[in-house]
Amino acid sequence: MIDGIREEVAIIDESDIILVRKTVREAATKFNYSLTDVTRIVTAASELARNIFLYAGSGVMRWRLLEGNGAKGMELIFEDRGPGITDLEQAFQEGYSTSGGLGLGLPGTQRLMDEMEIDTRVGVGTTVVVRKWQRRY
Amino acid sequence: MIEQRHLKGREPITGESISVIKIRDVLLVAMPPDPDDTTITILQEKVLAAIERYQVKGLVLDISAVQTLDSFFARVVAETAQMVVLMGAQTVIAGMQPSVAITATQLGLTLGGALTALNVDLALEIVSDAFQRRQRS
């Protein structure tokens, strides 16, 4: 169990992608991210939630705040018990997709966020963790 | 305390929040701020049917209210623009917010080379210019 989880959203059907976006938008706005960063975080969340819906069928999104070394940030955790990603390197290739999509999901999401970690096991599931740190102006 | 969110038995949004207006020879479609996948897919069919029915020369897609443009939304917009061109009309995508433009570029979205305009007013001008040029040639 991860400490400090503020909210979780079950991703079961397509409309839950909207719920993930709404939840993340509210949270990121509340924690004073710039509008551009809010848009980046929400768009990344949308891509990852859709991945769960498309590839795993169902899963969950959780988020929490991070604080340490004088920096503050937001962490989103996407977890599913789907088929797992067989070839992670291939999944990160621009334009590669097994679902007929644009193949921008994973590499694009990585560019929108500051940090991204993937833990995937074939036949067990996938956990994707993304973080965005607050800019200090 | 973790807050759990899941909308059970919610009424699906089925394209009702999208307005399709015919102004002279142009179809003006205003996208809602946060459309779900079903709404976006319905929009595509609705728009193509309306172009045939009203025999318009252009489609202006007003996305000034759109807060999240993810890869699915972008793909449908690009595809729709291409389909409209095949039918003999012109598509102009109008009013993308700066934060959305930044995010879309980082994500790697291109909109498939569809014409764009700063706002609906300029988009209407582009449609009529493009049509006049095509008539002359």
Side-chain angles (χ1 to χ4, degrees):
Chain A
M1 192 61 209
I2 313 148
D3 286 338
I5 298 295
R6 295 291 189 97
E7 277 180 299
E8 63 174 52
V9 179
I11 302 162
I12 295 159
D13 57 49
E14 200 193 86
S15 65
D16 294 323
I17 301 171
I18 292 286
L19 194 57
V20 166
R21 293 215 291 246
K22 198 170 174 295
T23 305
V24 171
R25 179 175 296 279
E26 278 171 15
T29 305
K30 197 170 145 195
F31 294 108
N32 291 322
Y33 280 97
S34 69
L35 177 61
T36 303
D37 272 349
V38 170
T39 310
R40 285 187 180 111
I41 299 167
V42 173
T43 306
S46 187
E47 296 294 326
L48 295 174
R50 183 171 290 102
N51 278 355
I52 286 185
F53 176 69
L54 284 179
Y55 299 105
S58 66
V60 65
M61 187 281 299
R62 301 183 178 92
W63 72 266
R64 62 174 178 164
L65 290 175
L66 302 170
E67 207 165 346
N69 297 327
K72 278 183 182 177
M74 199 176 160
E75 182 179 79
L76 313 181
I77 304 148
F78 292 80
E79 199 180 331
D80 68 62
R81 291 174 188 215
I85 304 168
T86 322
D87 190 339
L88 205 53
E89 209 174 301
Q90 202 172 34
F92 266 95
Q93 266 170 33
E94 207 82 35
Y96 178 80
S97 176
T98 56
S99 68
L102 290 173
L104 293 170
L106 287 180
T109 302
Q110 195 175 30
R111 282 193 297 270
L112 293 178
M113 302 299 283
D114 293 327
E115 288 165 29
M116 182 170 184
E117 285 155 22
I118 299 187
D119 179 19
T120 185
R121 265 166 253 180
V122 174
V124 179
T126 303
T127 303
V128 182
V129 180
V130 287
R131 296 182 199 99
K132 191 84 184 168
W133 298 100
Q134 298 237 332
R135 308 259 172 276
R136 265 166 280 170
Y137 297 101
Chain B
M1 190 47 201
I2 304 169
E3 200 184 317
Q4 289 203 0
R5 294 225 232 178
H6 184 64
L7 296 179
K8 278 266 157 63
R10 193 188 63 167
E11 290 282 307
I13 315 157
T14 46
E16 58 194 351
S17 47
I18 302 170
S19 78
V20 179
I21 311 161
K22 182 182 173 276
I23 305 171
R24 294 194 176 194
D25 295 328
V26 176
L27 209 59
L28 176 63
V29 178
M31 293 302 294
D34 206 11
D36 62 16
D37 293 5
T38 313
T39 306
I40 293 167
T41 311
I42 289 169
L43 169 94
Q44 185 176 69
E45 291 165 23
K46 211 171 155 180
V47 160
L48 296 179
I51 285 177
E52 195 204 5
R53 188 174 341 123
Y54 298 120
Q55 298 286 304
V56 291
K57 52 190 185 188
L59 163 72
V60 172
L61 207 53
D62 179 8
I63 59 162
S64 59
V66 170
Q67 295 177 319
T68 316
L69 184 72
D70 65 5
S71 61
F72 177 79
F73 193 177
R75 189 179 84 193
V76 178
V77 168
E79 273 178 10
T80 309
Q82 216 176 337
M83 290 167 186
V84 169
V85 168
L86 283 177
M87 289 175 74
Q90 195 75 53
T91 302
V92 183
I93 296 153
M96 190 185 289
Q97 289 178 19
S99 57
V100 174
I102 293 168
T103 302
T105 306
Q106 284 190 330
L107 191 58
L109 304 178
T110 59
L111 293 181
L115 292 175
T116 52
L118 273 171
N119 54 46
V120 170
D121 202 31
L122 293 169
L124 292 171
E125 246 172 68
I126 292 174
V127 172
S128 100
D129 285 356
F131 193 71
Q132 276 166 13
R133 255 202 314 278
R134 206 189 298 177
Q135 275 187 322
R136 276 198 299 270
S137 60

mmCIF file of all heavy atoms in Angstrom, chain B residues 37-66:
data_model
loop_
_atom_site.group_PDB
_atom_site.id
_atom_site.type_symbol
_atom_site.label_atom_id
_atom_site.label_comp_id
_atom_site.label_asym_id
_atom_site.label_seq_id
_atom_site.Cartn_x
_atom_site.Cartn_y
_atom_site.Cartn_z
ATOM 1 N N ASP B 37 -15.096 9.845 -25.388
ATOM 2 C CA ASP B 37 -14.821 9.184 -26.669
ATOM 3 C C ASP B 37 -16.088 8.969 -27.489
ATOM 4 O O ASP B 37 -16.085 9.128 -28.707
ATOM 5 C CB ASP B 37 -14.136 7.829 -26.422
ATOM 6 C CG ASP B 37 -12.745 8.000 -25.828
ATOM 7 O OD1 ASP B 37 -12.375 9.144 -25.522
ATOM 8 O OD2 ASP B 37 -12.042 6.995 -25.667
ATOM 9 N N THR B 38 -17.184 8.597 -26.797
ATOM 10 C CA THR B 38 -18.439 8.343 -27.496
ATOM 11 C C THR B 38 -18.944 9.622 -28.168
ATOM 12 O O THR B 38 -19.351 9.603 -29.328
ATOM 13 C CB THR B 38 -19.509 7.825 -26.503
ATOM 14 O OG1 THR B 38 -18.919 6.808 -25.709
ATOM 15 C CG2 THR B 38 -20.700 7.269 -27.231
ATOM 16 N N THR B 39 -18.881 10.720 -27.438
ATOM 17 C CA THR B 39 -19.325 12.009 -27.974
ATOM 18 C C THR B 39 -18.513 12.384 -29.212
ATOM 19 O O THR B 39 -19.059 12.837 -30.219
ATOM 20 C CB THR B 39 -19.166 13.118 -26.898
ATOM 21 O OG1 THR B 39 -19.838 12.697 -25.728
ATOM 22 C CG2 THR B 39 -19.730 14.442 -27.381
ATOM 23 N N ILE B 40 -17.205 12.148 -29.136
ATOM 24 C CA ILE B 40 -16.319 12.500 -30.247
ATOM 25 C C ILE B 40 -16.633 11.647 -31.479
ATOM 26 O O ILE B 40 -16.679 12.152 -32.600
ATOM 27 C CB ILE B 40 -14.834 12.322 -29.818
ATOM 28 C CG1 ILE B 40 -14.485 13.344 -28.735
ATOM 29 C CG2 ILE B 40 -13.899 12.483 -31.007
ATOM 30 C CD1 ILE B 40 -13.179 13.064 -28.029
ATOM 31 N N THR B 41 -16.891 10.359 -31.250
ATOM 32 C CA THR B 41 -17.203 9.461 -32.359
ATOM 33 C C THR B 41 -18.549 9.830 -32.990
ATOM 34 O O THR B 41 -18.684 9.842 -34.216
ATOM 35 C CB THR B 41 -17.236 7.998 -31.872
ATOM 36 O OG1 THR B 41 -16.050 7.771 -31.108
ATOM 37 C CG2 THR B 41 -17.249 7.033 -33.033
ATOM 38 N N ILE B 42 -19.533 10.151 -32.148
ATOM 39 C CA ILE B 42 -20.844 10.556 -32.649
ATOM 40 C C ILE B 42 -20.714 11.845 -33.454
ATOM 41 O O ILE B 42 -21.319 12.003 -34.511
ATOM 42 C CB ILE B 42 -21.844 10.732 -31.481
ATOM 43 C CG1 ILE B 42 -22.204 9.371 -30.908
ATOM 44 C CG2 ILE B 42 -23.098 11.468 -31.939
ATOM 45 C CD1 ILE B 42 -22.970 9.434 -29.610
ATOM 46 N N LEU B 43 -19.862 12.731 -32.953
ATOM 47 C CA LEU B 43 -19.642 14.007 -33.633
ATOM 48 C C LEU B 43 -19.208 13.796 -35.078
ATOM 49 O O LEU B 43 -19.706 14.436 -35.996
ATOM 50 C CB LEU B 43 -18.566 14.810 -32.903
ATOM 51 C CG LEU B 43 -18.085 16.025 -33.679
ATOM 52 C CD1 LEU B 43 -18.857 17.247 -33.261
ATOM 53 C CD2 LEU B 43 -16.608 16.243 -33.529
ATOM 54 N N GLN B 44 -18.288 12.855 -35.275
ATOM 55 C CA GLN B 44 -17.772 12.601 -36.619
ATOM 56 C C GLN B 44 -18.912 12.216 -37.578
ATOM 57 O O GLN B 44 -19.048 12.798 -38.655
ATOM 58 C CB GLN B 44 -16.735 11.483 -36.566
ATOM 59 C CG GLN B 44 -16.070 11.232 -37.899
ATOM 60 C CD GLN B 44 -14.973 10.194 -37.784
ATOM 61 O OE1 GLN B 44 -15.242 9.020 -37.565
ATOM 62 N NE2 GLN B 44 -13.735 10.623 -37.911
ATOM 63 N N GLU B 45 -19.749 11.279 -37.152
ATOM 64 C CA GLU B 45 -20.862 10.843 -37.998
ATOM 65 C C GLU B 45 -21.851 11.969 -38.248
ATOM 66 O O GLU B 45 -22.308 12.188 -39.368
ATOM 67 C CB GLU B 45 -21.596 9.672 -37.331
ATOM 68 C CG GLU B 45 -20.766 8.402 -37.307
ATOM 69 C CD GLU B 45 -21.327 7.383 -36.338
ATOM 70 O OE1 GLU B 45 -22.535 7.457 -36.023
ATOM 71 O OE2 GLU B 45 -20.560 6.522 -35.852
ATOM 72 N N LYS B 46 -22.158 12.706 -37.176
ATOM 73 C CA LYS B 46 -23.122 13.799 -37.238
ATOM 74 C C LYS B 46 -22.659 14.870 -38.230
ATOM 75 O O LYS B 46 -23.428 15.384 -39.035
ATOM 76 C CB LYS B 46 -23.237 14.392 -35.833
ATOM 77 C CG LYS B 46 -24.590 14.977 -35.485
ATOM 78 C CD LYS B 46 -24.598 15.301 -33.993
ATOM 79 C CE LYS B 46 -25.588 16.388 -33.665
ATOM 80 N NZ LYS B 46 -25.624 16.720 -32.240
ATOM 81 N N VAL B 47 -21.369 15.190 -38.160
ATOM 82 C CA VAL B 47 -20.799 16.238 -38.995
ATOM 83 C C VAL B 47 -20.804 15.832 -40.467
ATOM 84 O O VAL B 47 -21.220 16.598 -41.333
ATOM 85 C CB VAL B 47 -19.367 16.555 -38.518
ATOM 86 C CG1 VAL B 47 -18.574 17.259 -39.604
ATOM 87 C CG2 VAL B 47 -19.407 17.410 -37.264
ATOM 88 N N LEU B 48 -20.377 14.607 -40.755
ATOM 89 C CA LEU B 48 -20.338 14.156 -42.143
ATOM 90 C C LEU B 48 -21.741 14.106 -42.742
ATOM 91 O O LEU B 48 -21.950 14.502 -43.896
ATOM 92 C CB LEU B 48 -19.649 12.789 -42.242
ATOM 93 C CG LEU B 48 -18.164 12.762 -41.843
ATOM 94 C CD1 LEU B 48 -17.611 11.356 -41.950
ATOM 95 C CD2 LEU B 48 -17.330 13.713 -42.672
ATOM 96 N N ALA B 49 -22.708 13.653 -41.948
ATOM 97 C CA ALA B 49 -24.098 13.602 -42.430
ATOM 98 C C ALA B 49 -24.609 15.017 -42.704
ATOM 99 O O ALA B 49 -25.281 15.252 -43.718
ATOM 100 C CB ALA B 49 -24.977 12.900 -41.397
ATOM 101 N N ALA B 50 -24.271 15.951 -41.829
ATOM 102 C CA ALA B 50 -24.741 17.331 -41.991
ATOM 103 C C ALA B 50 -24.112 17.987 -43.213
ATOM 104 O O ALA B 50 -24.759 18.770 -43.917
ATOM 105 C CB ALA B 50 -24.430 18.134 -40.728
ATOM 106 N N ILE B 51 -22.860 17.652 -43.500
ATOM 107 C CA ILE B 51 -22.185 18.229 -44.673
ATOM 108 C C ILE B 51 -22.889 17.779 -45.948
ATOM 109 O O ILE B 51 -23.137 18.575 -46.854
ATOM 110 C CB ILE B 51 -20.687 17.834 -44.687
ATOM 111 C CG1 ILE B 51 -19.955 18.664 -43.644
ATOM 112 C CG2 ILE B 51 -20.060 18.049 -46.077
ATOM 113 C CD1 ILE B 51 -18.510 18.346 -43.496
ATOM 114 N N GLU B 52 -23.286 16.498 -45.973
ATOM 115 C CA GLU B 52 -23.998 15.995 -47.144
ATOM 116 C C GLU B 52 -25.382 16.629 -47.252
ATOM 117 O O GLU B 52 -25.795 17.083 -48.307
ATOM 118 C CB GLU B 52 -24.114 14.475 -47.068
ATOM 119 C CG GLU B 52 -24.508 13.883 -48.400
ATOM 120 C CD GLU B 52 -25.173 12.531 -48.275
ATOM 121 O OE1 GLU B 52 -25.421 12.086 -47.144
ATOM 122 O OE2 GLU B 52 -25.455 11.941 -49.323
ATOM 123 N N ARG B 53 -26.074 16.695 -46.133
ATOM 124 C CA ARG B 53 -27.445 17.194 -46.136
ATOM 125 C C ARG B 53 -27.508 18.668 -46.550
ATOM 126 O O ARG B 53 -28.335 19.069 -47.346
ATOM 127 C CB ARG B 53 -28.092 16.987 -44.766
ATOM 128 C CG ARG B 53 -29.568 17.319 -44.777
ATOM 129 C CD ARG B 53 -30.295 16.995 -43.467
ATOM 130 N NE ARG B 53 -29.607 16.059 -42.595
ATOM 131 C CZ ARG B 53 -29.280 16.342 -41.330
ATOM 132 N NH1 ARG B 53 -29.564 17.523 -40.832
ATOM 133 N NH2 ARG B 53 -28.687 15.449 -40.587
ATOM 134 N N TYR B 54 -26.633 19.473 -45.979
ATOM 135 C CA TYR B 54 -26.712 20.917 -46.230
ATOM 136 C C TYR B 54 -25.843 21.378 -47.393
ATOM 137 O O TYR B 54 -25.863 22.546 -47.749
ATOM 138 C CB TYR B 54 -26.347 21.693 -44.958
ATOM 139 C CG TYR B 54 -27.283 21.427 -43.808
ATOM 140 C CD1 TYR B 54 -26.801 20.891 -42.616
ATOM 141 C CD2 TYR B 54 -28.644 21.702 -43.914
ATOM 142 C CE1 TYR B 54 -27.660 20.639 -41.556
ATOM 143 C CE2 TYR B 54 -29.505 21.450 -42.861
ATOM 144 C CZ TYR B 54 -29.013 20.923 -41.688
ATOM 145 O OH TYR B 54 -29.857 20.668 -40.638
ATOM 146 N N GLN B 55 -25.063 20.466 -47.971
ATOM 147 C CA GLN B 55 -24.197 20.801 -49.110
ATOM 148 C C GLN B 55 -23.345 22.047 -48.833
ATOM 149 O O GLN B 55 -23.299 22.972 -49.634
ATOM 150 C CB GLN B 55 -25.055 21.016 -50.372
ATOM 151 C CG GLN B 55 -25.831 19.783 -50.808
ATOM 152 C CD GLN B 55 -24.955 18.716 -51.459
ATOM 153 O OE1 GLN B 55 -24.258 18.989 -52.425
ATOM 154 N NE2 GLN B 55 -24.972 17.524 -50.914
ATOM 155 N N VAL B 56 -22.688 22.056 -47.686
ATOM 156 C CA VAL B 56 -21.850 23.199 -47.322
ATOM 157 C C VAL B 56 -20.476 23.070 -47.972
ATOM 158 O O VAL B 56 -20.082 21.984 -48.401
ATOM 159 C CB VAL B 56 -21.676 23.321 -45.791
ATOM 160 C CG1 VAL B 56 -22.982 23.725 -45.141
ATOM 161 C CG2 VAL B 56 -21.124 22.042 -45.203
ATOM 162 N N LYS B 57 -19.764 24.182 -48.055
ATOM 163 C CA LYS B 57 -18.429 24.103 -48.648
ATOM 164 C C LYS B 57 -17.333 24.018 -47.600
ATOM 165 O O LYS B 57 -16.169 23.804 -47.933
ATOM 166 C CB LYS B 57 -18.183 25.267 -49.601
ATOM 167 C CG LYS B 57 -18.441 26.643 -49.032
ATOM 168 C CD LYS B 57 -18.408 27.683 -50.143
ATOM 169 C CE LYS B 57 -18.547 29.084 -49.580
ATOM 170 N NZ LYS B 57 -18.697 30.099 -50.613
ATOM 171 N N GLY B 58 -17.719 24.179 -46.355
ATOM 172 C CA GLY B 58 -16.685 24.082 -45.341
ATOM 173 C C GLY B 58 -17.208 23.706 -43.970
ATOM 174 O O GLY B 58 -18.389 23.846 -43.669
ATOM 175 N N LEU B 59 -16.274 23.220 -43.167
ATOM 176 C CA LEU B 59 -16.579 22.877 -41.782
ATOM 177 C C LEU B 59 -15.607 23.647 -40.893
ATOM 178 O O LEU B 59 -14.401 23.606 -41.099
ATOM 179 C CB LEU B 59 -16.382 21.371 -41.567
ATOM 180 C CG LEU B 59 -16.267 20.884 -40.125
ATOM 181 C CD1 LEU B 59 -17.610 20.968 -39.424
ATOM 182 C CD2 LEU B 59 -15.754 19.449 -40.076
ATOM 183 N N VAL B 60 -16.164 24.383 -39.946
ATOM 184 C CA VAL B 60 -15.300 25.048 -38.964
ATOM 185 C C VAL B 60 -15.518 24.350 -37.628
ATOM 186 O O VAL B 60 -16.628 24.306 -37.102
ATOM 187 C CB VAL B 60 -15.596 26.558 -38.859
ATOM 188 C CG1 VAL B 60 -14.836 27.177 -37.699
ATOM 189 C CG2 VAL B 60 -15.230 27.262 -40.162
ATOM 190 N N LEU B 61 -14.439 23.783 -37.104
ATOM 191 C CA LEU B 61 -14.491 23.072 -35.832
ATOM 192 C C LEU B 61 -13.944 24.006 -34.755
ATOM 193 O O LEU B 61 -12.739 24.242 -34.681
ATOM 194 C CB LEU B 61 -13.637 21.804 -35.958
ATOM 195 C CG LEU B 61 -13.991 20.619 -35.091
ATOM 196 C CD1 LEU B 61 -15.451 20.233 -35.244
ATOM 197 C CD2 LEU B 61 -13.105 19.437 -35.444
ATOM 198 N N ASP B 62 -14.857 24.537 -33.952
ATOM 199 C CA ASP B 62 -14.459 25.485 -32.905
ATOM 200 C C ASP B 62 -14.029 24.705 -31.659
ATOM 201 O O ASP B 62 -14.854 24.115 -30.974
ATOM 202 C CB ASP B 62 -15.650 26.403 -32.591
ATOM 203 C CG ASP B 62 -15.329 27.407 -31.490
ATOM 204 O OD1 ASP B 62 -14.142 27.494 -31.086
ATOM 205 O OD2 ASP B 62 -16.254 28.097 -31.035
ATOM 206 N N ILE B 63 -12.717 24.709 -31.390
ATOM 207 C CA ILE B 63 -12.237 23.957 -30.217
ATOM 208 C C ILE B 63 -11.740 24.911 -29.120
ATOM 209 O O ILE B 63 -10.960 24.527 -28.257
ATOM 210 C CB ILE B 63 -11.127 22.938 -30.590
ATOM 211 C CG1 ILE B 63 -9.925 23.626 -31.239
ATOM 212 C CG2 ILE B 63 -11.660 21.865 -31.518
ATOM 213 C CD1 ILE B 63 -8.680 22.753 -31.215
ATOM 214 N N SER B 64 -12.247 26.159 -29.154
ATOM 215 C CA SER B 64 -11.768 27.157 -28.181
ATOM 216 C C SER B 64 -12.132 26.797 -26.737
ATOM 217 O O SER B 64 -11.494 27.262 -25.802
ATOM 218 C CB SER B 64 -12.300 28.550 -28.541
ATOM 219 O OG SER B 64 -13.701 28.538 -28.562
ATOM 220 N N ALA B 65 -13.171 25.966 -26.551
ATOM 221 C CA ALA B 65 -13.542 25.582 -25.187
ATOM 222 C C ALA B 65 -12.806 24.322 -24.728
ATOM 223 O O ALA B 65 -12.822 23.986 -23.547
ATOM 224 C CB ALA B 65 -15.049 25.358 -25.105
ATOM 225 N N VAL B 66 -12.172 23.627 -25.681
ATOM 226 C CA VAL B 66 -11.571 22.332 -25.361
ATOM 227 C C VAL B 66 -10.366 22.482 -24.426
ATOM 228 O O VAL B 66 -9.460 23.263 -24.688
ATOM 229 C CB VAL B 66 -11.157 21.585 -26.655
ATOM 230 C CG1 VAL B 66 -10.309 20.363 -26.341
ATOM 231 C CG2 VAL B 66 -12.400 21.184 -27.430
#
